[in-house]
Amino acid sequence: MTHLSDPITIRNLTLPNRLVMPPMATAKADENGYVTDAVCEYYRERAKYSKIGLIITEHSYIHLQGKAHPGQTSIASDDAIPSLQRLTHCIHQEGVKVFSQLSHAGAAALSKTTGQSPVGPSPIYHPKQREELPSEMTLQQIRQVTEWFALAALRAKQAGFDGVELHSAHGYLLNQFFSPLANQRTDAYGPQSVENRIRFHREVIRAVRQTVGDDFPIALRLGGCDYEAGGSTAEDCVEACRLLEHSGIDLLHLTGGMNGFIRPGHGEPGYFQDLSVPVKQAVHIPVLLTGGVTTPAQAEALLEEGCADLIGVGRAIFKNPHWAD
């Protein structure tokens, strides 16, 4: 039986326990996307008191085109590395490992934030952004974004992060390609098969691995189900995760898709276990479950029931760094 206090190894990185602080936006970065004192203090306090083995920091934009909101942290240029080094240093000082979440908002981005027109898999309004219609990405643009992910991952490594997490959830760009609600392409990246829908992901994984080398963990947060007619399903999620494991992903972090981080009609601890349980049975890499967990006892119970290999605690830690006391 698995317990919270058991160590776990992700690729070659060993965590002292199974509790994870998942990415949650603080919007505390400066106008350049650089980490501020406020960002460092927020993470330092949670690393010190929350009894967690791993922090996955809030999503950082890999290019200005993919910036989701003001105050978001940047990993879009080498200029951001020194401020990110401050962040990893203050977390490591408390004995906690840290991953950087790499993100491109795609059709969810607004030109008033990015200064650029939004792009996505297809010219379809994003459910959370109906001001601007995104333009359909060309093959050249897909290759360009793949390169941006790889360069961002290298910056994360240079900044002292222990790994990266690719953001394909909550309606952001990679998740838009995975969801038939957002993807109506007719080419090899279209919704005709799960394999097509994660082709972009697999190209990003390959490019990141070539850039960071063999010893650096790559996680992926997958919005595995849209919980909406015509959207991605739990079955799609399992098939995608098998393919993602085959592509070299080291950790799968499961959550909602175009609907965001809620599961309609559910608020119980570990409410995405409808995804994590079948995925855990289908793959041989660690699975991280977040959603609705507010106490260590709830996290322990989910591990004991075999719902996942690691448990993420989000809002409780966001509100109170002393939540575990």
Side-chain angles (χ1 to χ4, degrees):
M1 193 181 288
T2 303
H3 297 286
L4 270 183
S5 57
D6 293 344
I8 186 169
T9 300
I10 301 166
R11 204 162 187 97
N12 64 343
L13 177 74
T14 300
L15 305 178
N17 66 55
R18 309 250 172 159
L19 265 181
V20 179
M21 177 178 160
M24 293 173 288
T26 64
K28 294 178 186 291
D30 70 14
E31 65 277 6
N32 296 311
Y34 297 165
V35 169
T36 57
D37 290 344
V39 175
C40 281
E41 279 309 306
Y42 166 85
Y43 283 103
R44 179 187 285 116
E45 195 176 11
R46 280 151 185 82
K48 186 169 187 171
Y49 297 113
S50 289
K51 301 181 171 65
I52 38 187
L54 173 67
I55 289 174
I56 307 174
T57 56
E58 59 199 271
H59 64 164
S60 296
Y61 59 91
I62 60 168
H63 189 275
L64 190 57
Q65 182 194 67
K67 184 177 180 178
H69 55 79
Q72 186 181 5
T73 50
S74 170
I75 197 161
S77 69
D78 290 352
D79 301 347
I81 293 173
S83 78
L84 293 168
Q85 283 173 327
R86 286 180 56 212
L87 179 59
T88 58
H89 180 67
C90 79
I91 293 170
H92 284 151
Q93 275 188 314
E94 303 300 339
V96 177
K97 303 297 185 186
V98 58
F99 284 12
S100 173
Q101 191 189 55
L102 312 180
S103 180
H104 189 300
L110 284 168
S111 60
K112 65 185 179 189
T113 301
T114 66
Q116 304 176 36
S117 299
V119 298
S122 300
I124 298 170
Y125 281 110
H126 192 278
K128 296 191 178 82
Q129 188 281 95
R130 298 189 177 276
E131 293 178 39
E132 297 172 275
L133 191 68
S135 57
E136 181 169 312
M137 289 174 70
T138 64
L139 298 181
Q140 185 179 355
Q141 285 174 311
I142 290 171
R143 282 192 288 273
Q144 178 73 77
V145 172
T146 301
E147 187 179 328
W148 292 341
F149 269 108
L151 291 171
L154 181 60
R155 290 183 196 112
K157 187 175 183 180
Q158 291 167 338
F161 285 94
D162 300 293
V164 290
E165 179 178 87
L166 307 175
H167 196 357
S168 176
H170 307 158
Y172 288 120
L173 180 64
L174 291 175
N175 192 212
Q176 291 160 22
F177 272 79
F178 181 62
S179 173
L181 298 174
N183 183 351
Q184 295 180 5
R185 300 175 71 92
T186 55
D187 62 7
Y189 297 89
Q192 301 80 8
S193 66
V194 169
E195 190 168 358
N196 277 8
R197 286 154 55 189
I198 63 160
R199 189 179 304 278
F200 190 5
H201 301 63
R202 297 175 81 183
E203 290 171 358
V204 168
I205 294 161
R206 192 178 309 123
V208 168
R209 178 58 70 207
Q210 286 174 345
T211 309
V212 298
D214 290 335
D215 59 346
F216 197 66
I218 305 172
L220 186 137
R221 192 171 200 190
L222 182 65
C225 185
D226 292 325
Y227 301 101
E228 186 180 326
S232 54
T233 65
E235 292 74 24
D236 294 341
C237 178
V238 173
E239 185 181 345
C241 287
R242 280 200 188 100
L243 292 167
L244 291 166
E245 178 185 25
H246 190 256
S247 300
I249 282 295
D250 302 306
L251 169 69
L252 288 161
H253 184 184
L254 300 171
T255 182
M258 298 299 286
N259 60 299
F261 45 78
I262 55 165
R263 179 184 170 196
H266 289 265
E268 72 276 11
Y271 53 76
F272 287 118
Q273 60 189 277
D274 61 316
L275 304 178
S276 69
V277 170
V279 167
K280 182 169 159 49
Q281 292 166 353
V283 301
H284 307 91
I285 52 176
V287 174
L288 167 58
L289 171 62
T290 57
V293 180
T294 57
T295 68
Q298 292 169 352
E300 186 79 59
L302 289 164
L303 284 177
E304 288 178 2
E305 291 163 20
C307 293
D309 302 289
L310 303 102
I311 304 295
V313 178
R315 300 292 141 187
I317 291 177
F318 185 82
K319 292 176 190 166
N320 176 20
H322 296 266
W323 74 282
D325 293 344

